[in-house]
Amino acid sequence: MIMVLVALALTISAPVAAETCAVPKGWDKPTPHLAARKAPFKFALAVGPATRLTLLPAAEVTPVVGSDHKAKAGTSAGLAALDVTRAGKLDIALSTAAYVDLVSDGKIVSSSGHRKGNTCTGIRKIVTFDVKPGHYIVELSAAPGKSIVMQASLN
């Protein structure tokens, strides 16, 4: 009985290991940029660093390619160019709910996967695309706020 009480006391008093939260490098210090309202673009985002895009009212954005995601009143949208240097799986992480379409050569690239981000990281969702080297357009729509953090990583 004493052994059980000692074991119980040690269990209760033992420090609880802190949960680790693996935040992607650079996610917590995004570079600010204004999203474009229409093509052509003055800059291209790089794969790797996180970017805080200031979005526009959805009605003011002209998508490069029509999408199934229609603009909703009161939401925000924006466009950004993205240069990809090698083939692989491109993950686009977003800080909040929004639709993301990836456009190449005038066509929407089908996503190959979707997953939720870990809540503690500030990542809401991650959308994966199979890509080859080239110039892409990221079309963001139906965002509830006026900015969004986005990070593209290539695996």
Side-chain angles (χ1 to χ4, degrees):
M1 179 69 158
I2 292 175
M3 293 297 274
V4 171
L5 291 174
V6 169
L8 182 59
L10 288 173
T11 302
I12 293 171
S13 64
V16 178
E19 264 188 61
T20 58
C21 184
V23 177
K25 184 179 180 181
W27 179 260
D28 56 343
K29 294 183 181 173
T31 303
H33 279 289
L34 297 175
R37 65 180 78 241
K38 63 181 182 177
F41 305 98
K42 294 182 180 182
F43 69 92
L45 302 177
V47 171
T51 303
R52 178 177 304 283
L53 288 170
T54 299
L55 302 172
L56 304 153
E60 295 179 15
V61 177
T62 304
V64 175
V65 175
S67 170
D68 292 340
H69 309 128
K70 301 300 177 201
K72 296 177 185 172
T75 63
S76 299
L79 308 172
L82 180 68
D83 290 327
V84 175
T85 58
R86 63 180 173 82
K89 296 220 177 264
L90 180 72
D91 286 335
I92 296 182
L94 301 175
S95 63
T96 189
Y99 291 119
V100 58
D101 287 314
L102 190 66
V103 178
S104 175
D105 297 324
K107 297 178 186 164
I108 292 178
V109 177
S110 296
S111 62
S112 59
H114 296 79
R115 63 189 187 276
K116 289 183 178 184
N118 190 341
T119 306
C120 66
T121 63
I123 297 173
R124 166 77 182 242
K125 74 178 192 178
I126 302 167
V127 182
T128 303
F129 300 90
D130 294 319
V131 296
K132 58 186 179 187
H135 187 73
Y136 292 83
I137 306 300
V138 178
E139 296 184 346
L140 298 169
S141 61
K146 294 182 180 181
S147 72
I148 192 168
V149 177
M150 183 186 99
Q151 187 171 29
S153 59
L154 190 58
N155 303 307

